[in-house]
Amino acid sequence: MLKILFLVLMAGGLPVAVAMAGSSLLYILATGNLPPFVVIHRMVSGIDSFPLLAVPFFILAGNLMNNAGITNRIYNYALALVGWLKGGLGHVNVVGSVVFAGMSGTAIADAAGLGTIEIKAMKDHGYETEFAVGVTAASATLGPIIPPSLPFVIYGMMANVSVGALFLAGILPGALMAIAMMLTVAYFAHKNGWGGDIRFEWPRVLKAIMETAIVIGWPLAVWLLVVRAGLQPQLTVLLCGILLFVADRIFRFQAVLPIMTPVLLIGGMTTGVFTPTEGAIAACLWAMVLGFAWYRTLSWKMFVKVCLDTVETTSTVLFIVAAASIFGWMLTATGVTAAISSWVLAFTKEPWVFLLLANLLMLFVGCFLEPTAAITILVPILVPICQQLGIDLVHFGLVMVLNLMIGLLHPPMGMVLFVLARVAKLSVERTTMAILPWLVPLLASLVFITYVPKAVMWLPKMFY
């Protein structure tokens, strides 16, 4: 009965969160086994969680980076690094999304923020609008895979899995997906005879390479000084941070400091300096330092607007989580999850078959539901089966999020699809056709990540 009520309310056009909470309330009223107050109680307790504090702060950090002119710096850095390659701005699009993914944590922020700059630049350089939209949509899926990631926070809370382990698990798959997308850009460039979009100049390329080397070398240098040389950790990090700012002022780097956001976040979590929730707060403070004090591109008026946008987005996300809490509890209490688990295990006990079926289900659900809603509905159903089949829950979380990100590119409910259709001023139909070729590298990455877990899971296993 609960499932039927939920489907009826969804078919009636109600938002997912309202359908979940409403069907639970109607079921309780119809059966009379529980007091209606249980709905409110479970919804409130569902968001009374310390890890969920990371949600508003990661959203705020992404919004601050978006509104402080950081996106232009990322674009210029990526342009200097790979803009001279054949199909240059296509490669710039992917590299820029990799960098921005380390700050925003959401695909929609990537598409709406950096995507706006990239699509305009590609159109101005003579690229077809469909190609610009396709590569922007595909690269936007990197946002929630490369840490930090809002969907990973929600999944970690729902599945009782370490958020830090999930963040580390996303690094290698994110790099793999980026390489697959750049190979696809290279294919189109070779096929259409495209050249580079800027001249190859050694000083510009070497400066971009130097920025990349600094981002990689800075945490390694800190680690060597602390672990090998035995220096005091806090003082060492402080002095190295000051040197980083001094170098940025002298050499006028484009994006070293913004790119350091995920480095500081992952480094702090793996060394135990802060939890993922505290890391989200640190990311906000870092964004405020860059926007207010260093680049001076953020005003208090803009800050107030950013905070109001963050409140609006956070309330939407947490309302979905709250509604899913009572709905998931009702599914368990009424035996739905146990029945589904028994049915699946009766059908197959092979993990690879279950992963295939789960992928198909998540791809289908991702076309109709927003990722947060899909995660909160699917986790209570699928995670118990994973536990019985011995599937690593961190690996399964990575697979689930990637499936749902691909769903964001599809009608009828794909949010990235609609955002890019509006940005590029294309119809939804033309935008959908533009995205179709880019499903090839995404689905190939999904298959590899699903069935070769050892290739992508060794990093979290080193620390967790």
Side-chain angles (χ1 to χ4, degrees), residues 205-347:
V205 175
L206 288 176
K207 186 177 180 182
I209 293 174
M210 181 172 67
E211 292 190 35
T212 307
I214 289 173
V215 172
I216 297 171
W218 188 87
L220 292 176
V222 172
W223 180 79
L224 288 172
L225 289 172
V226 172
V227 177
R228 299 297 184 185
L231 299 181
Q232 207 272 337
Q234 288 84 354
L235 183 61
T236 303
V237 172
L238 178 63
L239 291 176
C240 289
I242 292 172
L243 287 175
L244 189 65
F245 276 94
V246 170
D248 186 77
R249 181 64 73 194
I250 294 172
F251 295 104
R252 298 184 180 277
F253 295 134
Q254 281 289 348
V256 166
L257 295 179
I259 299 174
M260 288 300 296
T261 306
V263 174
L264 295 171
L265 189 66
I266 297 299
M269 286 190 300
T270 53
T271 55
V273 175
F274 45 66
T275 66
T277 303
E278 294 162 347
I281 299 171
C284 289
L285 293 175
W286 182 254
M288 291 174 67
V289 167
L290 295 183
F292 279 117
W294 196 249
Y295 298 135
R296 298 183 181 179
T297 52
L298 196 63
S299 66
W300 286 107
K301 184 177 180 181
M302 291 169 62
F303 181 69
V304 171
K305 181 181 181 300
V306 166
C307 289
L308 292 175
D309 290 343
T310 301
V311 169
E312 182 181 348
T313 306
T314 302
S315 60
T316 302
V317 172
L318 292 186
F319 180 56
I320 293 172
V321 174
S325 178
I326 177 61
F327 187 70
W329 184 76
M330 291 298 299
L331 287 176
T332 304
T334 56
V336 174
T337 54
I340 294 174
S341 177
S342 299
W343 179 82
V344 171
L345 293 174
F347 178 76

Side-chain angles (χ1 to χ4, degrees), residues 73-137:
R73 288 181 169 273
I74 294 170
Y75 175 78
N76 291 331
Y77 159 78
L79 186 66
L81 187 65
V82 295
W84 50 273
L85 295 172
K86 291 183 177 180
L89 287 185
H91 295 294
V92 169
N93 199 315
V94 177
V95 173
S97 292
V98 169
V99 176
F100 194 72
M103 295 178 291
S104 69
T106 62
I108 295 172
D110 190 322
L114 198 59
T116 303
I117 300 171
E118 291 167 337
I119 289 175
K120 182 179 184 304
M122 293 182 76
K123 289 168 69 176
D124 291 344
H125 278 76
Y127 288 90
E128 293 181 358
T129 304
E130 283 81 358
F131 177 77
V133 168
V135 67
T136 303

Side-chain angles (χ1 to χ4, degrees), residues 18 57 81 168 181 203-204 219 228 233 281 296 336 357 380 427:
V18 176
F57 287 109
L81 187 65
L168 284 173
M181 291 175 202
R204 178 166 49 194
R228 299 297 184 185
I281 299 171
R296 298 183 181 179
V336 174
L357 296 175
S427 66

